[in-house]
Amino acid sequence: MTTHPQDFAQDIRLSDLWDDPYPIYRKLRRDAPVTFVPAVGRYLITRHEDVVFAEQHPDLFSSREKDSLILRVIGANMLREDDPEHRRIRAAAEPPARPRRIRTDWSPVFQRTADELVDSFAERGEADLFADFAGPFAATNLAHLLGLPQVRAEDMIRWSQHMMDGNSNYADDPDVWARATAASGAVDEAVEEAMSRVRDEPDGSVISSMLHADDPLTPQEIRNNVKVIIGGGINEPRDVLTAGLWALLSDPAQRADVEADPGLWRNVFEETVRWMSPIGMYPRQTTADLELSGTRIPAGSRVALVIGAANRDEDVFPEPDRFDIHRAQRNHLAFGGGPHYCMGTWVARHEVGEIAWPTLFRRLPGLALDPDRPVDVGGWVFRGLLTLPVRWQRP
């Protein structure tokens, strides 16, 4: 008996998406590229061309989703605004994250963070690079960039994870809401302290930039948007860092190519963000009745631009499930598109591709996956490694 595509969508469970969404995405792209999934409470858009269309038409696919989970956790923010308000907020926050500033101001900070972390475990000969390096590396760097250097990496990581859990709490778990609310309040306190410090002495950080912009943000706008940045600014570089390492350590030939030509680290970065898509889905809400890939979507519908599916679209990326640093096609959507193109793109490219990976391979000779401890992977709204046990030759 043939299963109707809509019947398949009815049976999709959040736990299946968490464990391994790619077989589900493959079937949706083929049979129901735009379809309502009850478990998620929205239409999933899974083909590359349809996601691109939605990103290029913010007039039809608004970021101002009513009752969005991120609004419940964080409040009004630039991710859930359309232009011109989105443009105003971004213009105030973005200057410290531009390429020139990253290289002149932040690159030495990123390198110091990497070296100090490696110093803390190099003599052990083994580590979980998710917990011991990737998370603290991303969190420490972001704390400096934001203007929160006094905040510990473990606090940044906890706040980020609890808020992101709330942003993807489609199961409506009350414990998740409680943790997200507590994290949001803790960020508010840290930002208040930072604003007091930089109000009279600007320091070039994101908080300082927002406070001293030509069109400065209000304290509430600063608090809310710092929360947004803490979420993506830790999760995405952390998960790209660990996923790329996992892929290279699993493929001796591609690893040898990179070690022979360090210029390929850029390819590793772009292929990793396509292959893993750490931020796997963006929510939107339609502003008018429309039809997409043969499916009618009523005005006011909640939709999901499923980046993790679009970045493995067979019509765009040959053998999409294969990690290939020599892939010619690079028009991935990992950083979004249109006016909401990720503000932290250049930060992540530099701190991961030019600092973290080369440092780890240089300082941990014989770096290899731990054969006795498997890697854990999970998630779909945010997807990445949960552990990365490795070994190397002790000094």
Side-chain angles (χ1 to χ4, degrees):
M1 183 175 70
T2 302
T3 301
H4 191 276
Q6 295 302 325
D7 294 335
F8 173 71
Q10 292 280 335
D11 294 337
I12 293 174
R13 299 179 300 176
L14 293 176
S15 58
D16 295 330
L17 289 169
W18 170 276
D19 291 339
D20 184 2
Y22 301 115
I24 297 171
Y25 293 162
R26 191 180 308 118
K27 185 172 179 59
L28 288 175
R29 283 194 305 269
R30 184 186 67 228
D31 299 332
V34 179
T35 191
F36 187 81
V37 177
V40 185
R42 62 182 66 236
Y43 290 84
L44 265 57
I45 300 175
T46 52
R47 283 183 182 164
H48 188 279
E49 65 176 334
D50 290 335
V51 172
V52 169
F53 177 85
E55 291 278 34
Q56 292 177 344
H57 292 83
D59 54 321
L60 296 175
F61 294 87
S62 175
S63 297
R64 290 176 177 164
E65 182 186 78
K66 183 181 179 182
D67 299 325
S68 166
L69 297 187
I70 195 172
L71 293 178
R72 175 172 176 175
V73 174
I74 290 173
N77 62 84
M78 63 178 146
L79 286 185
R80 294 297 164 262
E81 287 288 358
D82 297 323
D83 286 342
E85 188 59 20
H86 164 264
R87 189 185 306 117
R88 169 184 165 266
I89 297 171
R90 181 163 176 148
E94 189 173 38
R98 291 174 181 159
R100 175 179 286 186
R101 290 284 306 279
I102 293 166
R103 291 194 175 278
T104 59
D105 296 1
W106 304 115
S107 185
V109 175
F110 299 165
Q111 186 64 63
R112 183 174 67 247
T113 301
D115 285 327
E116 289 176 351
L117 286 168
V118 173
D119 287 343
S120 71
F121 58 71
E123 293 186 358
R124 297 201 320 242
E126 63 179 18
D128 176 354
L129 289 182
F130 176 89
D132 294 331
F133 184 84
F137 177 74
T140 301
N141 290 344
L142 186 63
H144 285 282
L145 181 67
L146 284 173
L148 302 172
Q150 78 282 4
V151 176
R152 300 179 305 169
E154 53 264 42
D155 290 332
M156 292 281 288
I157 292 168
R158 186 180 70 256
W159 297 343
S160 175
Q161 193 60 57
H162 289 178
M163 289 189 295
M164 292 304 98
D165 289 345
N167 295 346
S168 57
N169 189 21
Y170 291 99
D172 200 26
D173 185 328
D175 290 337
V176 171
W177 292 132
R179 290 193 295 270
T181 299
S184 178
V187 175
D188 284 344
E189 293 180 8
V191 174
E192 283 293 338
E193 180 182 342
M195 286 192 293
S196 297
R197 185 181 67 253
V198 302
R199 187 166 281 112
D200 296 325
E201 297 182 12
D203 64 0
S205 67
V206 171
I207 291 173
S208 180
S209 180
M210 291 191 286
L211 194 63
H212 295 284
D214 291 338
D215 187 357
L217 304 189
T218 68
Q220 188 62 56
E221 288 174 326
I222 294 173
R223 288 191 292 268
N224 290 359
N225 285 288
V226 167
K227 294 172 197 174
V228 167
I229 296 170
I230 286 176
I234 293 178
N235 287 20
E236 189 158 25
R238 178 199 65 197
D239 296 343
V240 173
L241 199 165
T242 51
L245 280 175
W246 179 40
L248 282 183
L249 295 178
S250 302
D251 191 323
Q254 294 195 78
R255 173 182 180 167
D257 288 346
V258 176
E259 291 183 317
D261 180 5
L264 288 174
W265 283 120
R266 295 181 182 179
N267 294 20
V268 176
F269 185 90
E270 300 305 325
E271 177 64 354
T272 302
V273 295
R274 180 205 68 82
W275 182 66
M276 183 60 72
S277 298
I279 297 180
M281 181 273 272
Y282 300 123
R284 295 289 187 266
Q285 189 162 27
T286 56
T287 61
D289 293 345
L290 58 93
E291 185 174 304
L292 193 63
S293 280
T295 297
R296 181 181 176 275
I297 308 176
S301 296
R302 296 183 179 187
V303 302
L305 310 187
V306 189
I307 307 303
N311 277 343
R312 295 203 182 194
D313 190 328
E314 301 84 349
D315 291 338
V316 179
F317 306 101
E319 298 183 78
D321 294 332
R322 183 167 64 90
F323 180 85
D324 180 8
I325 64 172
H326 302 293
R327 186 179 297 279
Q329 188 65 280
R330 299 197 180 279
N331 55 333
H332 64 74
L333 304 175
F335 295 111
H340 282 274
Y341 187 77
C342 179
M343 190 181 83
T345 298
W346 293 104
V347 175
R349 281 177 173 151
H350 188 84
E351 68 177 339
V352 176
E354 299 190 37
I355 301 291
W357 286 333
T359 298
L360 289 168
F361 275 86
R362 183 179 69 252
R363 297 201 52 194
L364 303 177
L367 183 63
L369 296 174
D370 188 330
D372 299 327
R373 295 186 292 164
V375 166
D376 292 326
V377 187
W380 73 282
V381 177
F382 306 100
R383 184 163 181 81
L385 273 65
L386 308 173
T387 62
L388 181 57
V390 297
R391 295 177 178 177
W392 59 91
Q393 298 167 10
R394 298 178 62 181

